[in-house]
Amino acid sequence: MFLRITSQALFLLAAVATTSQGADYGLDCSFPIHNYNSSCGDLLGDRKAFYEDYMEGCRQYYGKKGKRCDATEDDRLIMSRRQPKSMVNYTDTGFKKIKAPEGVMKLLREHWERNKNSQTQEVWPLGNTYVNHWASPTYMVSVEDQQLRGTGGMRLKNQIWDAAKTTIEEWTGMELKPTSMYGIRVYTEGAVLNPHVDRLPLVSSCIVNVAQDVDEPWPLEIYDRHDRAINVTMEPGDMVLYESGSLMHGRPFAMKGRYYANIFIHFEPTGRPLSREIPEGGADQDDEFYPPYLLKDSEELENWANQNPYGWKKPSPTAAQVDTPEGHYYAQQGDLEKLKSLESKNPKALLKKDRNGWTPLHEAIRIGHTESVKYLIKFGADKDLRTHHGKGGSPLNLAIGELTENHPVSRYLSGIGAKNLGPEL
Ligand SMILES: *[C@@H]1O[C@H](CO)[C@@H](O)[C@H](O)[C@H]1NC(C)=O
Ligand SMILES: *[C@@H]1O[C@H](CO)[C@@H](O)[C@H](O)[C@H]1NC(C)=O
Ligand SMILES: *[C@@H]1O[C@H](CO)[C@@H](O)[C@H](O)[C@H]1NC(C)=O
C-alpha cells in the first residue's frame, strides 16, 4: 500500500515537472497585461526593451498622432484588468484545442488555395497597437467577397459559421448568435499580436489555423484561471475554442517565418442554455438590461451601460441562425414556406439587398430553386436587377452561369423576358 502511494506520488511529481517545463511565469512578463512594469526580470530575455521598441514603432508610424498608440495601450490594460473578472465563464479552463471539423477545414483550405493570391492589406484604426502592422503588415482573404473565386460569398460564410457554431455551442452549453468573422487573416514575418481580451459582444470564439509557413511554431499565449502563461501551438487544421471575452490571449513572441494564416469566428451567447440541466430563469430573462454573460455587480457594468444606453437586446431564435437577412437565409435553404411567411410578417425582407447587392431572388437562383424563383418574381422582385448594386450580373446571367442555360430556372427567366446582362467591366 505504502509503496503504491509513493510510486503514484512520484508519477504525479514527474507529470507536474513535465508540464511546467519551459518558463513558468505570470502576467506582465512577456508583455504588459495588467501593468507596464513587470517583476519578472530577464526571465524571457529583455522584454522591456522589446516592448519599448514595439511602442516606438507605433509612435513613429503615426508621427504627430503617435500619442494615440499610448492611449490605445492604456485602454487595453484597463480592459484587461476589468473585463475578465466581470464575465460569466461557461467552461472550466476557458480554452480547448481540437481538430477543426473536416467539413469546415475542407471549405477553408479550398478557399485559401483559390484565393491566397488575392490578399488585401488590412487597414488598422489610427493608433491601433493590437498588431505591429507598422512593421509586419497583415493581409486578409475575405470569405464574403462574391467576386472571389469558388464558393466565396454568403454560402461559404454560412457553412463555416454553422459548423463552428455547433462546435462551440457544445463546448459552452449555450445557444450562440454569430457576431463576426472577417476572413482569413495572414500575419507576416515578425508579427506580434498584443495580448488582450476581445471587445463585447465577442464572447465565445474560435481560431482555425488554415495554413502556415513558419520556421518554428508561433505560440498563442493564453493565461489560465490562475493567471499562469500557457503556450498553445497550432498546426494547420487545428482549432482553438476560447472564451475570448474573459481569456487573455495574444502572440507576444515575434513570428519567425513567411506567413501564418488563420481565421477567427466570434459568437455571443443568447442567454438560452442548451442543456436541460441548467435551470431556467436568471440566465434567460427577456427584460434584462445587461447581457447574461456579465456578472451581476461586476465592474464592467458601468462601462457596458455607457456604451449600450438602450440595453441588451436578446437575439431572437432566428437571429441566432446566422447573420444573413431572413429572406436571404430562407432562399438559400430553398424554404419556400418560410419565404411565403415573410409576406405578412416582413415583406421588405423579400426584396432586400444585402451588402453585396444580392436579393433573395439571386440566392434562390444560385441554388436552382425554381419554385422560390417564381414566387419571388410574382411577389415583385425585379427580373433584371444586377448584383453588387448594378456592377454584377442580372438574374438570368447568374442562372446561366451557375446552373446552365437549360435549367428550368434559366428557361423560366427567359420565358418572362428577363435580360442576360453580364457584369459591368
Ligand atoms: C512560450 O514560448 C516562448 C517563445 O518560444 C518562450 O520564450 C516562453 O518561455 C514560452 N512560455 C511558456 C509558458 O512555455
Ligand atoms: C512603470 O512604467 C511606467 C511606464 O512605462 C514608467 O513611467 C514608470 O517609471 C515605471 N515605474 C517603475 C516603478 O518602474
Ligand atoms: C473567468 O475567467 C477569467 C479569466 O480566466 C477570470 O479572471 C475570472 O475570474 C473568471 N470569472 C469567474 C467568475 O470565475
Side-chain angles (χ1 to χ4, degrees):
M1 190 63 190
F2 174 76
L3 266 177
R4 254 188 79 166
I5 289 172
T6 309
S7 62
Q8 274 184 0
L10 278 174
F11 174 76
L12 278 176
L13 274 175
V16 167
T18 325
T19 48
S20 60
Q21 194 187 47
D24 182 14
Y25 55 89
L27 300 169
D28 305 321
C29 291
S30 61
F31 231 69
I33 292 177
H34 281 185
N35 296 291
Y36 288 112
N37 302 319
S38 119
S39 52
C40 306
D42 273 350
L43 179 69
L44 297 168
D46 195 350
R47 295 299 295 178
K48 199 170 168 59
F50 184 86
Y51 179 69
E52 252 325 299
D53 197 49
Y54 184 93
M55 289 307 295
E56 217 23 59
C58 184
R59 291 181 198 115
Q60 279 177 17
Y61 180 76
Y62 288 109
K64 272 191 283 194
K65 303 228 162 109
K67 280 210 167 68
R68 294 286 283 272
C69 303
D70 295 278
T72 309
E73 282 297 276
D74 288 345
D75 189 45
R76 177 180 68 87
L77 264 56
I78 289 170
M79 217 167 125
S80 302
R81 286 194 295 259
R82 186 184 58 213
Q83 197 173 297
K85 63 178 183 197
S86 303
M87 303 286 297
V88 173
N89 294 318
Y90 296 104
T91 68
D92 287 343
T93 53
F95 77 102
K96 185 180 179 186
K97 182 167 102 170
I98 60 170
K99 287 273 166 234
E102 200 34 60
V104 176
M105 221 34 232
K106 187 168 174 289
L107 286 169
L108 284 171
R109 254 192 227 112
E110 278 171 15
H111 192 67
W112 168 253
E113 283 307 323
R114 287 202 180 104
N115 299 298
K116 61 186 176 191
N117 297 322
S118 327
Q119 299 178 16
T120 48
Q121 190 170 340
E122 271 190 290
V123 179
W124 292 85
L126 177 69
N128 189 287
T129 52
Y130 277 66
V131 177
N132 55 346
H133 56 94
W134 49 86
S136 306
T138 58
Y139 297 83
M140 191 54 90
V141 172
S142 167
V143 290
E144 52 185 8
D145 187 343
Q146 311 267 3
Q147 311 282 23
L148 288 180
R149 300 171 64 199
T151 49
M154 278 312 211
R155 195 158 34 152
L156 170 69
K157 193 165 177 175
N158 288 340
Q159 281 171 341
I160 297 174
W161 240 332
D162 282 346
K165 183 168 173 275
T166 311
T167 307
I168 305 177
E169 280 181 339
E170 274 168 17
W171 181 56
T172 60
M174 298 304 287
E175 181 192 63
L176 300 174
K177 168 188 182 275
T179 50
S180 68
M181 162 164 74
Y182 304 109
I184 303 173
R185 171 174 297 153
V186 186
Y187 295 97
T188 53
E189 172 101 59
V192 165
L193 176 68
N194 203 337
H196 64 283
V197 286
D198 289 349
R199 266 181 209 290
L200 304 179
L202 312 188
V203 175
S204 310
S205 308
C206 71
I207 309 174
V208 180
N209 179 329
V210 180
Q212 65 180 21
D213 179 9
V214 293
D215 299 327
E216 56 185 62
W218 188 34
L220 173 75
E221 182 195 69
I222 55 112
Y223 288 83
D224 68 11
R225 298 280 192 237
H226 308 287
D227 286 342
R228 306 306 302 173
I230 299 174
N231 283 341
V232 181
T233 57
M234 298 176 73
E235 298 287 325
D238 284 342
M239 181 180 207
V240 169
L241 317 178
Y242 63 123
E243 299 201 54
S244 61
S246 63
L247 191 84
M248 289 299 315
H249 57 279
R251 297 180 187 271
F253 305 100
M255 197 266 273
K256 298 193 177 94
R258 267 60 56 202
Y259 68 84
Y260 189 98
N262 64 185
I263 186 165
F264 310 89
I265 311 170
H266 302 285
F267 300 86
E268 176 183 26
T270 65
R272 280 182 286 268
L274 293 174
S275 151
R276 295 208 181 87
E277 290 154 38
I278 303 174
E280 299 238 346
D284 196 14
Q285 300 288 340
D286 279 322
D287 53 358
E288 266 292 340
F289 181 84
Y290 293 106
Y293 43 82
L294 278 184
L295 290 174
K296 309 266 171 269
D297 306 319
S298 66
E299 267 183 46
E300 186 60 33
L301 296 187
E302 191 187 331
N303 178 56
W304 190 90
N306 284 336
Q307 296 189 3
N308 302 273
Y310 301 107
W312 189 67
K313 185 167 175 293
K314 183 163 144 158
S316 73
T318 48
Q321 292 292 318
V322 272
D323 86 336
T324 313
E326 248 182 326
H328 293 69
Y329 182 70
Y330 297 144
Q332 285 165 1
Q333 307 292 314
D335 194 336
L336 183 57
E337 289 316 305
K338 287 269 173 56
L339 270 178
K340 285 183 176 168
S341 74
L342 291 176
E343 206 170 309
S344 53
K345 242 174 56 192
N346 183 9
K348 278 191 192 149
L350 291 170
L351 304 177
K352 188 184 165 78
K353 289 182 198 154
D354 68 13
R355 225 189 304 177
N356 298 301
W358 280 58
T359 63
L361 175 65
H362 298 104
E363 301 288 0
I365 293 170
R366 180 154 58 178
I367 64 156
H369 201 261
T370 316
E371 292 314 309
S372 299
V373 172
K374 287 185 180 168
Y375 166 72
L376 287 163
I377 290 284
K378 286 191 182 122
F379 177 76
D382 179 349
K383 65 183 183 339
D384 294 321
L385 183 75
R386 296 159 98 191
T387 63
H388 295 85
H389 308 285
K391 293 200 203 78
S394 69
L396 179 58
N397 186 260
L398 180 68
I400 294 172
E402 292 276 325
L403 308 166
T404 75
E405 210 160 339
N406 280 323
H407 190 281
V409 167
S410 310
R411 294 213 306 262
Y412 166 74
L413 288 169
S414 300
I416 59 165
K419 298 191 190 102
N420 178 4
L421 305 171
E424 213 173 63
L425 295 175

